[in-house]
Amino acid sequence: MAVGGCVLSSDDVVIKSPNDRRLYRYIQLPNGLCALLVHDPEIYSDQKQDYTDDDDEDEDEDDSDEEDSEEDDDDEEDEAEGDKGLKNSLQKKAAVAMCVGMGSFSDPYEAQGLAHFLDDEEMVWMIMGTHFIDDITKTEHMLFMGVLISQMRTRFAQFFTSPLMKPEAMEREVLAVDSEFNQVLQNDSCRLQQVQCCTSASGHPFNRFYWGNKKSLADATESGINLRDQILKLYNDHYYGGSMKLVVIGGETLEVLESWVLELFSNVKKGLGLPTKPETGSGVRIWRAGKLYRLEAVKDVHILDLSWTLPSLRKDYLKKGEDYLAHLLGHEGKGSLHFFLKAKGWATSISAGVSDEGMQRSSIAYIFNMSIHLTDTGLEKIFDIICFVYQYLKMLRQVSPQEWVFNELQDIARMEFRFSEEQPQDDYAAELAENVIKAFLLSSVIFIAGNLLVYPPEHVIYGDYAYEVWDEEIIKHLLDCFSPGNMRVDVLTKSFNKSNGIQHEPWFGSRYVEEDIPYSLMELWKDPPEIDCSLHLPSKNDFIPRDFSIRADKASDQLEDASYPRCIVDEPYMKLWYKLDKTFKLPRANTYFRITLKGGYSTIRNALLTELFILLLKDELNEIIYQASVSKLETSVSLYGDKLELKLYGFNDKLSVLLSKVLSIAKSFSPKDDRFKVVKEDMERTLRNTNMKPLNHASYLRLQVLCQSFWDAEEKLCLLNDLSLADLTAFVPDLLSQLYIEGLCHGNMLEEEALRISHIFRSNFSIQPLPFELRHRELVMCLPLSADVVRDVRVKNKLETNSVIELYFQIEPEEQTKLAKLKALTDLFDEIVEEPLFNQLRTKEQLGYVVDCSLRVTYRILGFCFRVQSSEYNPVYLQGRIDNFINGLEEMLNRLDEESFENYKNGLMGKLLEKDPSLSYETDRFWGQIVDKRQCITSLLIYR
């Protein structure tokens, strides 16, 4: 039974998109805990969802920063692993998330990393006794996420009401934190952030080691700190109702969801007040002015990182002044810094803004960052580049803030909010929980009187999209913060040729030097005497959509089954699939194409020349693609073997206009020598950085064994040095002389509009079709039953502490008659085995942070993989532990009773039968079936 009632309950507070059919209720309990309840009518009731949860590990668990996510280490991996099986299929399920107003800023200085230790997954699992919850530590809050099914509700609530925190488990949890730290030990972005922390002002909250590891926690113990006592103190000081923000998404009514929250969370203690902010001291600078830090990179990169400290802008979120400046400083069109520095051959990319990462966007300060990826030449021009940055800033001051720029951003944000796509429920719950705590912290004065919280959380959803107040003065004020005296300069580079003054960051071991920036340069940057005439504001964006009409409302009923795309063009030159969206009814469309190029992958030389051509083409298209992306019409250009994959997706109003411009540029494109040199240099750097991560390297080695045509990265690097612009110029005409195009048009698009898109291709590339026999087909080695193939290769980075074992078992080629049954059996095996594997090898044996298993489909050949990554044990030992687990599988399966088996089977069937959460997910599913030459399958039968 529910205990008491709510002191506040409102169904009319939250502003939501007019297309959002979910119902929202905001409540506050007498103990101060605030909860957002979300009724989703498309979620099955809890009784129908009572099955074992599948909480996947990501494919690349060490991809924890933007730098890594931007690069494409292994194109072949993406192609080969295009269908990893049903394990990663998304289901629309109930979800729960809790945000607690305490993070790394609350770490005791003598026990750094303690907040991370408190919310570590292993600590939570120790309390819960099951693997169903994830967690994230930020500087000022912690986020706990999980599924919401009947047997989990009580366990989730238990952590916030009566945690166990057993003393005997402490050592194991220290190892878990250390294992997670070792995942990022060779991560350049994390290393840079820690150097920024360790060189910040002593006593400042930034001057911390937020990750925590075995040494930091062991050092605390050796100095007399009782970790359990400290954890309990953190918990008791910060885990109370007023500091907790809960989100519950379910298929039950709001009344039922409210009764659950009252029943399970009324016992959370009330607490004495509001979360306290870290003490910083008035006017304390985070970093010393006039310094430049050169940090030795792990990867072959050159990055100039400029940071300016801004005041905390949380209360000004309706004005979005920092986003206005980020839009201009990170722009890539004509007149921008990116366009200017790229033309000089000094930079390849620029990103700018205040990230959502806690240290950059806190109650203490906002950190505005500009990250410039440099060429070899650009590395020698760092001070010149900074001078041009200040010329651009001076130009912004002279022209004064422009309301039309703000209005464009406002139009785009309102359009995105109105027609927002749904996301997986656990992600949505986490996002809402963080936004609820933002709403809590944004209030300049919050009164709690008579147990009533007087702060309306109407912008829990809308806040991120809210460009409501044009304030010229706040932009002028922020521009004043972009001064040399308020700037930090970091240079992250592999070209670290220093012998004197080298310092070592104590936790990551990074080598860096601190240099003084000449006073004359600091004075010059304050007020540059001139502004280069090439620097100016961007032009108005012609890609902002104006037509939001829904085609399904006008179209006549389709004759065919509307569940699947149907082929509307089938010719030697092109095959085009089409499906009008009648489900999501948003003004969005996704158009995907694979253009097979003649001889593009027939030899290693051809493969390199093809890749060079595509990279140069992307470079040429960058300006127009960027303008469209600002208007939420995205373009993706990538290469898979001899196939150029072109994707245009987003708001459909200007989609055909963008496609016409892209193809027109591609048709007449001729590479130039200056860009050839820059792109070739960047490609060399990418090849040198390939396989730096052990997980990627292990998959790469497996594909190298299995695939007949798999060009080695080192061989490609050697050959690339000898290729010239003349070689490329001579190669391209034959490459484009014959083509074959297969595509999919899906979304808010009538059939005649899809047919017009096919005509756009014909009008730009009126050439002969590429015969079937000239298209590349990858062949996969068939491993005999007695095969015992071993690849034992040292990691590329000699400082890498992690080892990986990937154990691959080939099953058999897919056959259409057996496909459904074989895939279903393999996925059911995965469903049953994954949790015991994780529990044994990670939770109990603590082998490493990454422990997983999954179905692999390598060019239509089924296989199954077990993987473990460890910083403590070598691959031979790890394989022994996997073998030991596999040897016990038969006994484990034999012990499986009928009820448990049915639960696993129903769980997998539930995932297969769930609808796609958005048009994008549905398109990706259809596209995967098209490129893999499979029939569209809505569900697979589960066989016993």
Side-chain angles (χ1 to χ4, degrees), residues 780-783 808-823 826 855-863 934:
V780 176
M781 176 190 294
C782 180
L783 300 176
Y808 170 83
F809 296 91
Q810 196 173 75
I811 301 175
E812 59 181 89
E814 292 180 359
E815 295 179 17
Q816 197 62 43
T817 57
K818 299 180 180 179
L819 174 60
K821 181 175 181 178
L822 187 58
K823 283 182 65 64
T826 309
L855 170 70
R856 299 288 180 172
V857 185
T858 308
Y859 297 103
R860 299 179 59 82
I861 305 300
L862 295 182
R934 298 197 185 105

mmCIF file of all heavy atoms in Angstrom, residues 780-783 808-823 826 855-863 934:
data_model
loop_
_atom_site.group_PDB
_atom_site.id
_atom_site.type_symbol
_atom_site.label_atom_id
_atom_site.label_comp_id
_atom_site.label_asym_id
_atom_site.label_seq_id
_atom_site.Cartn_x
_atom_site.Cartn_y
_atom_site.Cartn_z
ATOM 1 N N VAL A 780 34.076 -15.726 -47.428
ATOM 2 C CA VAL A 780 34.492 -16.005 -46.060
ATOM 3 C C VAL A 780 34.979 -17.442 -45.958
ATOM 4 O O VAL A 780 34.346 -18.363 -46.476
ATOM 5 C CB VAL A 780 33.316 -15.773 -45.085
ATOM 6 C CG1 VAL A 780 33.709 -16.154 -43.660
ATOM 7 C CG2 VAL A 780 32.869 -14.314 -45.131
ATOM 8 N N MET A 781 36.122 -17.599 -45.287
ATOM 9 C CA MET A 781 36.689 -18.935 -45.111
ATOM 10 C C MET A 781 35.732 -19.821 -44.313
ATOM 11 O O MET A 781 35.183 -19.410 -43.297
ATOM 12 C CB MET A 781 38.025 -18.840 -44.365
ATOM 13 C CG MET A 781 38.646 -20.199 -44.057
ATOM 14 S SD MET A 781 40.065 -20.084 -42.932
ATOM 15 C CE MET A 781 41.219 -19.189 -43.953
ATOM 16 N N CYS A 782 35.565 -21.038 -44.785
ATOM 17 C CA CYS A 782 34.766 -22.023 -44.057
ATOM 18 C C CYS A 782 35.707 -22.820 -43.160
ATOM 19 O O CYS A 782 36.583 -23.545 -43.644
ATOM 20 C CB CYS A 782 34.042 -22.950 -45.035
ATOM 21 S SG CYS A 782 33.036 -24.192 -44.217
ATOM 22 N N LEU A 783 35.549 -22.644 -41.865
ATOM 23 C CA LEU A 783 36.434 -23.319 -40.927
ATOM 24 C C LEU A 783 35.983 -24.769 -40.745
ATOM 25 O O LEU A 783 34.823 -25.022 -40.407
ATOM 26 C CB LEU A 783 36.421 -22.607 -39.571
ATOM 27 C CG LEU A 783 36.873 -21.139 -39.563
ATOM 28 C CD1 LEU A 783 36.716 -20.552 -38.168
ATOM 29 C CD2 LEU A 783 38.311 -21.005 -40.039
ATOM 30 N N TYR A 808 36.001 -17.125 -31.248
ATOM 31 C CA TYR A 808 34.970 -17.135 -32.300
ATOM 32 C C TYR A 808 34.681 -18.561 -32.725
ATOM 33 O O TYR A 808 35.596 -19.343 -33.016
ATOM 34 C CB TYR A 808 35.457 -16.319 -33.494
ATOM 35 C CG TYR A 808 34.608 -16.440 -34.743
ATOM 36 C CD1 TYR A 808 33.456 -15.661 -34.899
ATOM 37 C CD2 TYR A 808 34.965 -17.298 -35.779
ATOM 38 C CE1 TYR A 808 32.689 -15.749 -36.050
ATOM 39 C CE2 TYR A 808 34.207 -17.391 -36.934
ATOM 40 C CZ TYR A 808 33.063 -16.620 -37.061
ATOM 41 O OH TYR A 808 32.303 -16.708 -38.213
ATOM 42 N N PHE A 809 33.387 -18.903 -32.756
ATOM 43 C CA PHE A 809 32.944 -20.212 -33.228
ATOM 44 C C PHE A 809 32.067 -20.002 -34.459
ATOM 45 O O PHE A 809 31.021 -19.356 -34.372
ATOM 46 C CB PHE A 809 32.144 -20.941 -32.140
ATOM 47 C CG PHE A 809 32.949 -21.270 -30.916
ATOM 48 C CD1 PHE A 809 33.013 -20.384 -29.845
ATOM 49 C CD2 PHE A 809 33.662 -22.461 -30.835
ATOM 50 C CE1 PHE A 809 33.761 -20.682 -28.717
ATOM 51 C CE2 PHE A 809 34.413 -22.765 -29.711
ATOM 52 C CZ PHE A 809 34.462 -21.878 -28.644
ATOM 53 N N GLN A 810 32.506 -20.538 -35.593
ATOM 54 C CA GLN A 810 31.708 -20.432 -36.817
ATOM 55 C C GLN A 810 30.579 -21.455 -36.765
ATOM 56 O O GLN A 810 30.796 -22.609 -36.380
ATOM 57 C CB GLN A 810 32.600 -20.663 -38.029
ATOM 58 C CG GLN A 810 31.992 -20.212 -39.339
ATOM 59 C CD GLN A 810 32.994 -20.298 -40.483
ATOM 60 O OE1 GLN A 810 33.288 -21.390 -40.972
ATOM 61 N NE2 GLN A 810 33.543 -19.167 -40.895
ATOM 62 N N ILE A 811 29.400 -21.031 -37.145
ATOM 63 C CA ILE A 811 28.258 -21.948 -37.092
ATOM 64 C C ILE A 811 28.040 -22.568 -38.472
ATOM 65 O O ILE A 811 28.431 -23.695 -38.735
ATOM 66 C CB ILE A 811 26.999 -21.223 -36.581
ATOM 67 C CG1 ILE A 811 27.291 -20.664 -35.165
ATOM 68 C CG2 ILE A 811 25.797 -22.156 -36.536
ATOM 69 C CD1 ILE A 811 26.176 -19.816 -34.590
ATOM 70 N N GLU A 812 27.440 -21.852 -39.376
ATOM 71 C CA GLU A 812 27.278 -22.342 -40.745
ATOM 72 C C GLU A 812 26.725 -21.209 -41.578
ATOM 73 O O GLU A 812 26.185 -20.240 -41.042
ATOM 74 C CB GLU A 812 26.336 -23.546 -40.798
ATOM 75 C CG GLU A 812 24.942 -23.259 -40.266
ATOM 76 C CD GLU A 812 24.051 -24.492 -40.307
ATOM 77 O OE1 GLU A 812 24.047 -25.246 -39.324
ATOM 78 O OE2 GLU A 812 23.377 -24.681 -41.324
ATOM 79 N N PRO A 813 26.830 -21.312 -42.913
ATOM 80 C CA PRO A 813 26.275 -20.248 -43.751
ATOM 81 C C PRO A 813 24.767 -20.157 -43.574
ATOM 82 O O PRO A 813 24.094 -21.141 -43.290
ATOM 83 C CB PRO A 813 26.634 -20.694 -45.182
ATOM 84 C CG PRO A 813 27.738 -21.674 -45.015
ATOM 85 C CD PRO A 813 27.512 -22.345 -43.699
ATOM 86 N N GLU A 814 24.253 -18.928 -43.749
ATOM 87 C CA GLU A 814 22.812 -18.757 -43.700
ATOM 88 C C GLU A 814 22.169 -19.405 -44.923
ATOM 89 O O GLU A 814 22.642 -19.242 -46.045
ATOM 90 C CB GLU A 814 22.447 -17.269 -43.697
ATOM 91 C CG GLU A 814 22.834 -16.541 -42.442
ATOM 92 C CD GLU A 814 22.438 -15.069 -42.528
ATOM 93 O OE1 GLU A 814 21.904 -14.671 -43.558
ATOM 94 O OE2 GLU A 814 22.692 -14.354 -41.553
ATOM 95 N N GLU A 815 21.115 -20.131 -44.717
ATOM 96 C CA GLU A 815 20.300 -20.640 -45.807
ATOM 97 C C GLU A 815 18.886 -20.154 -45.568
ATOM 98 O O GLU A 815 18.381 -20.213 -44.454
ATOM 99 C CB GLU A 815 20.345 -22.177 -45.853
ATOM 100 C CG GLU A 815 21.733 -22.734 -46.168
ATOM 101 C CD GLU A 815 21.734 -24.254 -46.174
ATOM 102 O OE1 GLU A 815 20.636 -24.843 -46.252
ATOM 103 O OE2 GLU A 815 22.823 -24.833 -46.115
ATOM 104 N N GLN A 816 18.254 -19.667 -46.633
ATOM 105 C CA GLN A 816 16.959 -19.032 -46.451
ATOM 106 C C GLN A 816 15.954 -19.950 -45.756
ATOM 107 O O GLN A 816 15.170 -19.508 -44.929
ATOM 108 C CB GLN A 816 16.405 -18.599 -47.820
ATOM 109 C CG GLN A 816 15.278 -17.587 -47.737
ATOM 110 C CD GLN A 816 15.713 -16.284 -47.078
ATOM 111 O OE1 GLN A 816 16.783 -15.777 -47.351
ATOM 112 N NE2 GLN A 816 14.884 -15.755 -46.199
ATOM 113 N N THR A 817 16.003 -21.242 -46.066
ATOM 114 C CA THR A 817 15.031 -22.164 -45.473
ATOM 115 C C THR A 817 15.273 -22.367 -43.984
ATOM 116 O O THR A 817 14.361 -22.729 -43.249
ATOM 117 C CB THR A 817 15.065 -23.516 -46.196
ATOM 118 O OG1 THR A 817 16.410 -24.039 -46.121
ATOM 119 C CG2 THR A 817 14.656 -23.378 -47.644
ATOM 120 N N LYS A 818 16.520 -22.168 -43.546
ATOM 121 C CA LYS A 818 16.863 -22.399 -42.146
ATOM 122 C C LYS A 818 17.118 -21.106 -41.380
ATOM 123 O O LYS A 818 17.385 -21.139 -40.183
ATOM 124 C CB LYS A 818 18.124 -23.263 -42.048
ATOM 125 C CG LYS A 818 18.011 -24.636 -42.669
ATOM 126 C CD LYS A 818 19.331 -25.383 -42.511
ATOM 127 C CE LYS A 818 19.269 -26.776 -43.121
ATOM 128 N NZ LYS A 818 20.573 -27.476 -42.987
ATOM 129 N N LEU A 819 17.036 -19.973 -42.072
ATOM 130 C CA LEU A 819 17.488 -18.714 -41.483
ATOM 131 C C LEU A 819 16.757 -18.380 -40.187
ATOM 132 O O LEU A 819 17.382 -18.115 -39.166
ATOM 133 C CB LEU A 819 17.305 -17.575 -42.492
ATOM 134 C CG LEU A 819 17.596 -16.155 -41.964
ATOM 135 C CD1 LEU A 819 19.029 -16.054 -41.493
ATOM 136 C CD2 LEU A 819 17.291 -15.133 -43.037
ATOM 137 N N ALA A 820 15.429 -18.405 -40.220
ATOM 138 C CA ALA A 820 14.671 -17.998 -39.042
ATOM 139 C C ALA A 820 14.981 -18.894 -37.856
ATOM 140 O O ALA A 820 15.246 -18.424 -36.748
ATOM 141 C CB ALA A 820 13.174 -18.019 -39.354
ATOM 142 N N LYS A 821 14.980 -20.200 -38.084
ATOM 143 C CA LYS A 821 15.208 -21.124 -36.974
ATOM 144 C C LYS A 821 16.628 -21.008 -36.433
ATOM 145 O O LYS A 821 16.848 -20.966 -35.213
ATOM 146 C CB LYS A 821 14.933 -22.556 -37.425
ATOM 147 C CG LYS A 821 15.136 -23.575 -36.313
ATOM 148 C CD LYS A 821 14.738 -24.969 -36.739
ATOM 149 C CE LYS A 821 14.916 -25.973 -35.597
ATOM 150 N NZ LYS A 821 14.502 -27.328 -35.974
ATOM 151 N N LEU A 822 17.614 -20.943 -37.336
ATOM 152 C CA LEU A 822 19.008 -20.909 -36.909
ATOM 153 C C LEU A 822 19.316 -19.625 -36.136
ATOM 154 O O LEU A 822 19.966 -19.653 -35.081
ATOM 155 C CB LEU A 822 19.929 -21.032 -38.121
ATOM 156 C CG LEU A 822 21.418 -21.186 -37.846
ATOM 157 C CD1 LEU A 822 21.684 -22.409 -36.986
ATOM 158 C CD2 LEU A 822 22.198 -21.282 -39.151
ATOM 159 N N LYS A 823 18.845 -18.489 -36.657
ATOM 160 C CA LYS A 823 19.091 -17.226 -35.954
ATOM 161 C C LYS A 823 18.363 -17.195 -34.621
ATOM 162 O O LYS A 823 18.877 -16.697 -33.625
ATOM 163 C CB LYS A 823 18.675 -16.036 -36.838
ATOM 164 C CG LYS A 823 19.676 -15.723 -37.941
ATOM 165 C CD LYS A 823 19.260 -14.519 -38.758
ATOM 166 C CE LYS A 823 19.248 -13.248 -37.939
ATOM 167 N NZ LYS A 823 20.572 -12.860 -37.449
ATOM 168 N N THR A 826 20.269 -19.293 -32.101
ATOM 169 C CA THR A 826 21.513 -18.641 -31.678
ATOM 170 C C THR A 826 21.217 -17.462 -30.750
ATOM 171 O O THR A 826 21.914 -17.264 -29.744
ATOM 172 C CB THR A 826 22.308 -18.159 -32.907
ATOM 173 O OG1 THR A 826 22.445 -19.230 -33.834
ATOM 174 C CG2 THR A 826 23.693 -17.686 -32.501
ATOM 175 N N LEU A 855 26.067 -13.024 -31.070
ATOM 176 C CA LEU A 855 26.017 -13.572 -32.420
ATOM 177 C C LEU A 855 26.789 -12.657 -33.361
ATOM 178 O O LEU A 855 26.724 -11.433 -33.242
ATOM 179 C CB LEU A 855 24.555 -13.667 -32.875
ATOM 180 C CG LEU A 855 24.299 -14.004 -34.345
ATOM 181 C CD1 LEU A 855 24.686 -15.440 -34.647
ATOM 182 C CD2 LEU A 855 22.835 -13.765 -34.685
ATOM 183 N N ARG A 856 27.542 -13.253 -34.299
ATOM 184 C CA ARG A 856 28.235 -12.484 -35.336
ATOM 185 C C ARG A 856 27.773 -12.975 -36.700
ATOM 186 O O ARG A 856 27.700 -14.175 -36.939
ATOM 187 C CB ARG A 856 29.757 -12.663 -35.233
ATOM 188 C CG ARG A 856 30.351 -12.191 -33.923
ATOM 189 C CD ARG A 856 30.361 -10.689 -33.836
ATOM 190 N NE ARG A 856 30.930 -10.224 -32.585
ATOM 191 C CZ ARG A 856 31.197 -8.962 -32.314
ATOM 192 N NH1 ARG A 856 30.952 -8.043 -33.191
ATOM 193 N NH2 ARG A 856 31.703 -8.628 -31.144
ATOM 194 N N VAL A 857 27.457 -12.043 -37.578
ATOM 195 C CA VAL A 857 27.113 -12.390 -38.953
ATOM 196 C C VAL A 857 28.138 -11.717 -39.848
ATOM 197 O O VAL A 857 28.120 -10.498 -40.029
ATOM 198 C CB VAL A 857 25.690 -11.934 -39.318
ATOM 199 C CG1 VAL A 857 25.336 -12.417 -40.723
ATOM 200 C CG2 VAL A 857 24.687 -12.471 -38.314
ATOM 201 N N THR A 858 29.055 -12.484 -40.365
ATOM 202 C CA THR A 858 30.152 -11.961 -41.178
ATOM 203 C C THR A 858 29.872 -12.300 -42.632
ATOM 204 O O THR A 858 30.047 -13.430 -43.065
ATOM 205 C CB THR A 858 31.493 -12.581 -40.743
ATOM 206 O OG1 THR A 858 31.644 -12.421 -39.336
ATOM 207 C CG2 THR A 858 32.655 -11.926 -41.459
ATOM 208 N N TYR A 859 29.375 -11.303 -43.376
ATOM 209 C CA TYR A 859 28.986 -11.534 -44.771
ATOM 210 C C TYR A 859 28.111 -12.776 -44.896
ATOM 211 O O TYR A 859 28.405 -13.689 -45.651
ATOM 212 C CB TYR A 859 30.223 -11.627 -45.668
ATOM 213 C CG TYR A 859 31.034 -10.358 -45.701
ATOM 214 C CD1 TYR A 859 32.218 -10.248 -44.974
ATOM 215 C CD2 TYR A 859 30.605 -9.253 -46.430
ATOM 216 C CE1 TYR A 859 32.961 -9.078 -44.996
ATOM 217 C CE2 TYR A 859 31.335 -8.088 -46.443
ATOM 218 C CZ TYR A 859 32.512 -8.010 -45.734
ATOM 219 O OH TYR A 859 33.244 -6.844 -45.750
ATOM 220 N N ARG A 860 27.054 -12.798 -44.078
ATOM 221 C CA ARG A 860 26.013 -13.833 -44.108
ATOM 222 C C ARG A 860 26.464 -15.164 -43.518
ATOM 223 O O ARG A 860 25.723 -16.145 -43.558
ATOM 224 C CB ARG A 860 25.476 -14.052 -45.538
ATOM 225 C CG ARG A 860 24.825 -12.808 -46.136
ATOM 226 C CD ARG A 860 24.337 -13.050 -47.551
ATOM 227 N NE ARG A 860 23.372 -14.134 -47.618
ATOM 228 C CZ ARG A 860 22.073 -14.006 -47.347
ATOM 229 N NH1 ARG A 860 21.602 -12.840 -46.968
ATOM 230 N NH2 ARG A 860 21.258 -15.034 -47.449
ATOM 231 N N ILE A 861 27.637 -15.227 -42.939
ATOM 232 C CA ILE A 861 28.086 -16.446 -42.266
ATOM 233 C C ILE A 861 27.890 -16.259 -40.762
ATOM 234 O O ILE A 861 28.443 -15.326 -40.171
ATOM 235 C CB ILE A 861 29.566 -16.762 -42.577
ATOM 236 C CG1 ILE A 861 29.784 -16.842 -44.090
ATOM 237 C CG2 ILE A 861 29.984 -18.049 -41.890
ATOM 238 C CD1 ILE A 861 28.963 -17.901 -44.783
ATOM 239 N N LEU A 862 27.117 -17.154 -40.160
ATOM 240 C CA LEU A 862 26.834 -17.041 -38.745
ATOM 241 C C LEU A 862 28.010 -17.510 -37.894
ATOM 242 O O LEU A 862 28.706 -18.460 -38.247
ATOM 243 C CB LEU A 862 25.600 -17.872 -38.381
ATOM 244 C CG LEU A 862 24.259 -17.450 -38.973
ATOM 245 C CD1 LEU A 862 23.156 -18.366 -38.454
ATOM 246 C CD2 LEU A 862 23.934 -16.010 -38.624
ATOM 247 N N GLY A 863 28.200 -16.858 -36.778
ATOM 248 C CA GLY A 863 29.210 -17.261 -35.816
ATOM 249 C C GLY A 863 28.819 -16.759 -34.438
ATOM 250 O O GLY A 863 27.849 -16.005 -34.291
ATOM 251 N N ARG A 934 18.178 -10.032 -47.638
ATOM 252 C CA ARG A 934 17.225 -10.843 -46.895
ATOM 253 C C ARG A 934 15.829 -10.316 -47.114
ATOM 254 O O ARG A 934 15.620 -9.129 -47.368
ATOM 255 C CB ARG A 934 17.518 -10.800 -45.384
ATOM 256 C CG ARG A 934 18.857 -11.347 -44.987
ATOM 257 C CD ARG A 934 18.843 -11.626 -43.483
ATOM 258 N NE ARG A 934 20.152 -12.052 -43.045
ATOM 259 C CZ ARG A 934 21.001 -11.277 -42.366
ATOM 260 N NH1 ARG A 934 20.666 -10.049 -42.090
ATOM 261 N NH2 ARG A 934 22.168 -11.731 -41.988
#
